[in-house]
């Protein structure tokens, strides 16, 4: 049983023989992908308030210092993204601020919002109106919050991080594996195309990595919602001194992910944190959200590579590079999905993976709609934008 699994009724059993099989995997057991993809995004850090204090994280601010972006600031950032040819607004920020953040709650209240999730919905509307598809990672949330947010998000995500109880998550307010798995399951129940992943190097063992991947696979087998799994190495920063995992560790972790997960799930490694070029032959097929205009606010010391660098990773690997939307091809409406892409089986409790609002945005007779379809149809030349 995973730590705190009982608190959330998590019924995922560890299959010992599957763990043993994964522990034996090496990079020579897998091959390279047939293509590489990435999404062009702007990063919108709604608030730096966070109820948790993960010891690897420099993102959050303590009460009194935490910031909250105004609607005008959100509009500014997303418009910069539209001008730079982006299709994705990435909303990633602190997990639901607790009562200590009185200023944040007061400000939300003054603007007419009950919670950060309410405000996130409004922020997603701003992005959609400007011409970007939202992908939100608001941390741990409930199934009913997913139902609210699916209306205005093309896809969502939360990193599992690990199924282990690690010191990096110790303390009174912390992420627990049970709650993370509960969030990923809730997304599946709500029919939300979903991104999750492992944070490698925060004190977990190889066995923990194998178990984490098998837990993700199990939830995908139930709901079909996992579009990509990020294998992200921890990077040192001014708050923490975790050792960055070696290239060999990342090669083995990526190969393990590739073997553990069905082929339809992409394996993503962020090229600003890893020597991704050295991991492609282990099964990486996606380079994630890369921004031409904003920092990676979670890891601000690690700049995004330019499009030319992505091209050279692909060239060196002898692979074609395609831009994609924040939601993967198989969840797209039939009218927009390329003919050679098999559709995902319908989700459990809705009649489509994407809300009407999102489908309308993608099929609209507007500049943004045309951009989305050109990216999905692979008819837009990446070189068309800086
Ligand atoms: O720019 C970043 N994008 C991050 N992304 C975004 C991701 O690269 C893209 O937005 C997705 O591939 C969707 O297109 C995450 C998305 C998630 O759902 C969960 C975790 C992450 C983590 C990061 C991150 O640290 N930096
Ligand atoms: C959005 C995701 O960013 C990751 N994250 C947070 N801090 C770090 C760090 N120092 N190095 C790498 N990834 C980090 C976590 O996995 C979080 O879920
Ligand atoms: C800024 S970290 C990413 C979002 C959320 N706080 C989480 O840890 O999952
Ligand atoms: S990683 Fe996310 S949950 Fe953890 S402290 Fe940072 S912002 Fe909060």
């Amino acid at each position: 049983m995973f730590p705190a699994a009982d608190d959330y009724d998590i019924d995922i059993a560890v299959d010992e023989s599957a763990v043993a099989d994964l522990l034996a995997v090496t990079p020579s057991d897998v091959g390279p992908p047939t293509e590489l993809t990435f999404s062009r995004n702007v990063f919108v850090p709604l608030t730096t308030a966070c109820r948790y204090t993960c010891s690897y994280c420099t993102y959050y601010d303590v009460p009194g210092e935490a910031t909250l972006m105004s609607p005008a600031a959100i509009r500014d950032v997303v418009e910069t993204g539209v001008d730079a040819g982006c299709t994705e607004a990435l909303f990633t920020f602190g997990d639901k601020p607790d009562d200590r953040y009185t200023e944040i709650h007061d400000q939300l209240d003054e603007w007419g919002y009950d919670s950060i999730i309410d405000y996130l919905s409004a922020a997603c509307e701003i992005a959609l109106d400007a011409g970007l598809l939202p992908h939100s990672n608001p941390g741990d949330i409930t199934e009913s919050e997913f139902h609210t947010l699916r209306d205005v998000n093309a896809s969502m995500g939360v990193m599992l991080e690990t199924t282990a109880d690690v010191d990096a998550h110790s303390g009174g307010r912390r992420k627990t594996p049970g709650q993370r798995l509960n969030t990923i399951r809730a997304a599946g129940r709500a029919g939300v195309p979903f991104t999750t992943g492992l944070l490698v190097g925060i004190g977990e063992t190889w066995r923990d990595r194998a178990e984490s991947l098998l837990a993700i696979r199990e939830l995908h087998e139930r709901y079909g919602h996992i579009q990509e799994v990020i294998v992200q190495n921890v990077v040192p920063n001014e708050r923490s001194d975790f050792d960055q995992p070696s290239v060999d560790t990342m090669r083995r972790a990526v190969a393990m992910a590739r073997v553990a997960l069905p082929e339809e799930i992409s394996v993503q490694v962020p090229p600003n944190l890893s020597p991704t070029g050295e991991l492609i032959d282990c099964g990486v097929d996606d380079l994630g959200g890369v921004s031409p205009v904003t920092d990676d606010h979670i890891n601000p010391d690690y700049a995004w590579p330019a499009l030319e660098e992505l091209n050279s990773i692909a060239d060196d690997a002898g692979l074609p590079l395609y831009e994609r939307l924040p939601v993967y091809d198989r969840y797209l409406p039939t009218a927009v999905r390329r003919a050679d892409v098999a559709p995902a089986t319908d989700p459990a409790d809705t009649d489509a993976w994407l809300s009407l609002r999102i489908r309308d945005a993608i099929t609209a007779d507007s500049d943004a709609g045309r951009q989305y379809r050109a990216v999905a149809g692979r008819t837009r030349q990446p070189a068309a934008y800086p």
Side-chain angles (χ1 to χ4, degrees):
M1 258 311 187
F2 301 120
D6 283 345
D7 299 347
Y8 296 91
D9 265 332
I10 298 295
D11 52 345
I12 301 175
V14 175
D15 176 344
E16 287 302 330
S17 74
V19 171
D21 288 351
L22 282 187
L23 286 172
V25 167
T26 69
S28 61
D29 295 322
V30 294
T34 55
E35 59 185 43
L36 288 174
T37 52
F38 74 103
S39 158
R40 204 185 300 245
N41 71 15
V42 275
F43 201 127
V44 195
L46 269 199
T47 179
T48 61
C50 182
R51 64 181 139 162
Y52 301 142
T53 51
C54 307
S55 70
Y56 43 77
C57 177
T58 49
Y59 178 83
Y60 70 90
D61 287 322
V62 295
E65 289 173 21
T67 56
L68 179 67
M69 286 176 81
S70 67
I74 296 166
R75 208 164 288 118
D76 265 6
V77 178
V78 296
E79 279 168 7
T80 318
V82 172
D83 292 344
C86 299
T87 58
E88 170 180 350
L90 168 65
F91 292 95
T92 303
F93 50 95
D95 262 66
K96 185 163 96 187
D98 54 30
D99 323 337
R100 297 171 306 145
Y101 290 93
T102 47
E103 288 152 4
I104 301 290
H105 292 288
D106 290 350
Q107 181 64 76
L108 286 172
D109 192 48
E110 195 185 311
W111 288 338
Y113 300 100
D114 283 348
S115 68
I116 194 73
I117 297 299
D118 253 16
Y119 188 49
L120 172 59
S121 278
C124 291
E125 300 263 5
I126 294 174
L128 277 167
D129 288 345
L132 296 179
L133 295 173
H135 169 99
S136 297
N137 171 354
D140 286 316
I141 61 171
T142 63
E143 192 176 333
S144 91
E145 289 171 327
F146 274 116
H147 272 287
T148 304
L149 290 169
R150 84 187 291 287
D151 281 343
V152 288
N153 274 275
S155 67
M156 295 184 62
V158 74
M159 295 283 277
L160 170 59
E161 321 290 10
T162 177
T163 48
D165 218 348
V166 290
D167 286 346
H169 296 152
S170 66
R173 295 178 304 274
R174 64 199 172 100
K175 293 175 177 168
T176 67
Q179 187 172 12
R180 300 303 263 191
L181 292 167
N182 184 55
T183 300
I184 301 167
R185 181 179 60 186
R189 287 180 172 159
V192 178
F194 207 66
T195 297
T196 187
L198 312 193
L199 188 53
V200 178
I202 54 171
E204 81 289 3
T205 63
W206 278 105
R207 187 191 160 88
D208 297 326
R209 291 169 192 154
E211 289 186 5
S212 301
L213 289 164
L214 291 170
I216 293 169
R217 176 170 86 188
E218 168 70 28
L219 290 170
H220 179 71
E221 280 168 0
R222 289 184 205 173
Y223 303 107
H225 64 313
I226 306 295
Q227 56 174 7
E228 55 185 354
V229 167
I230 305 176
V231 181
Q232 179 148 324
N233 54 276
V234 74
V235 289
N237 54 42
E238 77 258 19
R239 268 190 195 158
S240 68
D241 56 0
F242 288 90
D243 287 330
Q244 181 163 336
S246 67
V247 176
D248 280 343
T249 298
M250 288 303 287
R251 287 178 61 79
R252 187 174 161 199
V254 169
M256 206 185 234
R258 194 56 286 168
V259 171
L261 302 167
E263 213 183 325
E264 74 222 42
I265 298 182
S266 274
V267 175
Q268 176 187 124
V269 175
N272 62 324
L273 306 184
S274 267
T276 307
E278 296 174 56
L279 308 175
I280 306 293
D281 64 314
C282 303
V284 173
D285 63 354
D286 185 77
L287 305 175
V290 173
S291 183
V293 281
T294 47
D295 285 348
D296 179 343
H297 290 282
I298 303 172
N299 300 295
D301 298 340
Y302 298 81
W304 287 121
L307 184 57
E308 294 83 81
E309 289 171 63
L310 302 188
N311 273 319
S312 80
I313 292 175
D315 281 350
D316 291 348
L319 296 170
L321 176 69
Y322 296 107
E323 194 176 343
R324 62 165 172 82
L325 297 177
V327 55
Y328 277 62
D329 292 330
R330 67 180 177 282
Y331 301 104
L332 291 171
T334 313
V336 174
R337 205 175 47 244
R338 294 191 311 284
D340 59 337
V341 176
T345 317
D346 273 350
D349 84 341
T350 59
D351 59 2
W353 285 101
L354 300 179
S355 70
L356 195 56
R357 176 81 202 266
I358 297 294
R359 278 180 282 157
D360 280 351
I362 297 175
T363 54
D365 185 18
S366 63
D367 285 349
R370 280 183 284 277
Q371 290 297 345
Y372 301 147
R373 294 193 294 281
V375 169
R378 297 187 169 174
T379 57
R380 177 165 101 171
Q381 292 302 314
Y385 289 96

